[in-house]
Amino acid sequence: MRRLVAQTRLGVEDLIAPLFVRENIDEPVPIHSLPGVVQHTQDSLLDEVRTLCNLGVPAVMLFGIPGRKDPEGSEAWNHDGVVQVALRNLRDEFGDDMVLMADLCVDEYTDHGHCGIVVEGDVDNDQTLVLYQQAAVAQANAGAHVVAPSGMMDGQVMAIRAALDGSGHINTSILAYSAKYASAEYGPFRDAVDVQIAGGGDRKSYQQDPANRRESMEEIGFDLEEGADMVMVKPALSYLDIISDARSRYDVPLAAYHVSGEYAMLKAAGANGWIDETATMFEHLTSIKRAGADMILTYCTREVAEILRGTGSEPRP
Ligand code: PBG
């Protein structure tokens, strides 16, 4: 009866799996602060996406760890860069059966760890847009269905849309990380992509202040005017009010990113036996949907999909 009258449903089709692919490794490398998540080789990435596809997961979001970093992050638009190779392999095998999303930023590719060109200690917004345009075209050429700018530069969506249209990629969609906060909850992700921000710096000059609520509606509004097809709120659980505001104000597809720190907290408490990990995981993800998200990026994707599909070790909740 409870299932029948439930007002929120969590399904496999709501989930997007963030996946890491690393250059120059022969075996997948576990990420210490993200138990169960690895840096993939090109081969193990294909295996993982096969499994996700069979489980009915509709989309993946790719992040690359390049063999070489430089001040501009030029591997982000190299034709043979790690994510471009992965996209070509995946598109060859899966065609349109799996939605291929590519995180579009340069922080994994720069030697200073910032999301753009650094000029006199600060990221230069406008010079950075050119880098994002190059990366967008490279990702679309390699087969991305969706590019997902995550750098929070002003004007990035308009710049990327123009570059995509100008190179013939009129059907490539943009999922904008629109309301992205300067959060402490990205810590494990930076282990996952081997990023340390130079000089102990932070991203407070381009990501949002957690104290600000109304500002997010401005940010989302700008991205939609500039041509975003879907928008995102990130992180998720500490920002359910933002998800709820966005849901009531905008009728576009809305994603929420259940980020690395949220996953790590769940896994750490679960491993200690301090919480019922599976029940908490479902409660968290259901709450993100209840707040108004249409889709959730989460490192729990495979585990949740296995449980929902009845192939996992836990009973269906
Ligand atoms: C930037 C990017 C970050 C995440 C996704 N894209 C890191 C950051 O902004 O510092 C974080 C995701 C997570 O914590 O799971 N390319």
Side-chain angles (χ1 to χ4, degrees):
M1 183 72 88
R2 283 167 74 92
R3 281 208 296 139
L4 190 64
V5 300
Q7 297 175 355
T8 305
R9 294 171 208 276
L10 181 71
V12 173
E13 49 287 320
D14 301 321
L15 304 172
I16 302 170
L19 297 172
F20 301 100
V21 57
R22 178 168 169 183
E23 207 164 35
N24 303 335
I25 52 170
D26 300 322
E27 294 289 328
V29 179
I31 302 160
H32 177 68
S33 51
L34 289 177
V37 182
V38 301
Q39 297 174 330
H40 282 288
T41 66
Q42 296 288 354
D43 285 343
S44 72
L45 180 73
L46 280 167
D47 284 343
E48 180 69 15
V49 177
R50 269 178 215 126
T51 303
L52 292 168
C53 196
N54 288 332
L55 286 164
V57 172
V60 296
M61 174 74 78
L62 297 184
F63 295 91
I65 302 108
R68 190 182 65 82
K69 304 195 186 207
D70 62 24
E72 294 199 329
S74 61
E75 285 297 300
W77 56 87
N78 179 352
H79 174 83
D80 297 316
V82 63
V83 162
Q84 281 71 258
V85 171
L87 284 166
R88 281 197 295 273
N89 292 341
L90 291 167
R91 192 67 187 256
D92 272 356
E93 177 160 341
F94 299 98
D96 292 335
D97 293 341
M98 176 61 83
V99 176
L100 304 178
M101 302 183 165
D103 182 82
L104 201 176
C105 195
V106 291
D107 63 320
E108 294 107 59
Y109 302 92
T110 54
D111 51 15
H112 45 70
H114 272 294
C115 297
I117 293 187
V118 177
V119 179
E120 289 167 17
D122 269 328
V123 172
D124 185 294
N125 189 96
D126 294 2
Q127 289 189 46
T128 298
L129 298 181
V130 182
L131 311 189
Y132 290 1
Q133 290 181 310
Q134 292 167 195
V137 173
Q139 291 174 343
N141 282 340
H145 295 95
V146 179
V147 299
S150 63
M152 288 296 278
M153 296 301 135
D154 293 338
Q156 63 183 11
V157 173
M158 188 185 294
I160 290 165
R161 185 72 268 161
L164 290 172
D165 289 351
S167 57
H169 296 294
I170 55 171
N171 290 323
T172 306
S173 302
I174 298 177
L175 164 57
Y177 288 64
S178 301
K180 178 173 176 182
Y181 285 86
S183 172
E185 295 175 300
Y186 308 147
F189 174 91
R190 296 190 187 153
D191 295 339
V193 293
D194 289 335
V195 168
Q196 271 142 23
I197 305 176
D202 57 47
R203 305 203 199 290
K204 290 180 182 163
S205 71
Y206 42 102
Q207 298 180 350
Q208 286 180 251
D209 185 340
N212 292 358
R213 178 170 179 172
R214 297 186 306 273
E215 184 180 50
S216 281
M217 297 308 106
E218 284 278 282
E219 292 284 356
I220 293 172
F222 290 142
D223 282 357
L224 290 172
E225 278 169 27
E226 291 178 29
D229 301 287
M230 313 174 232
V231 295
M232 190 197 296
V233 173
K234 176 183 171 189
L237 289 172
S238 322
Y239 299 88
L240 294 179
D241 53 337
I242 312 299
I243 297 172
S244 168
D245 288 353
R247 174 72 300 149
S248 49
R249 183 129 160 207
Y250 298 109
D251 284 329
V252 297
L254 177 62
Y257 202 141
H258 178 243
V259 300
S260 58
E262 301 179 86
Y263 176 86
M265 289 189 275
L266 179 69
K267 288 288 161 184
N272 276 293
W274 294 340
I275 52 164
D276 177 336
E277 186 181 316
T278 303
T280 308
M281 175 174 77
F282 274 91
E283 187 175 331
H284 282 181
L285 298 177
T286 301
S287 301
I288 295 166
K289 275 213 75 187
R290 191 193 63 233
D294 298 308
M295 43 197 159
I296 307 174
L297 293 103
T298 175
Y299 302 97
C300 302
T301 292
R302 179 167 169 181
E303 197 179 342
V304 171
E306 284 171 348
I307 295 171
L308 291 174
R309 288 282 185 237
T311 57
S313 52
E314 301 282 339
R316 193 185 162 116

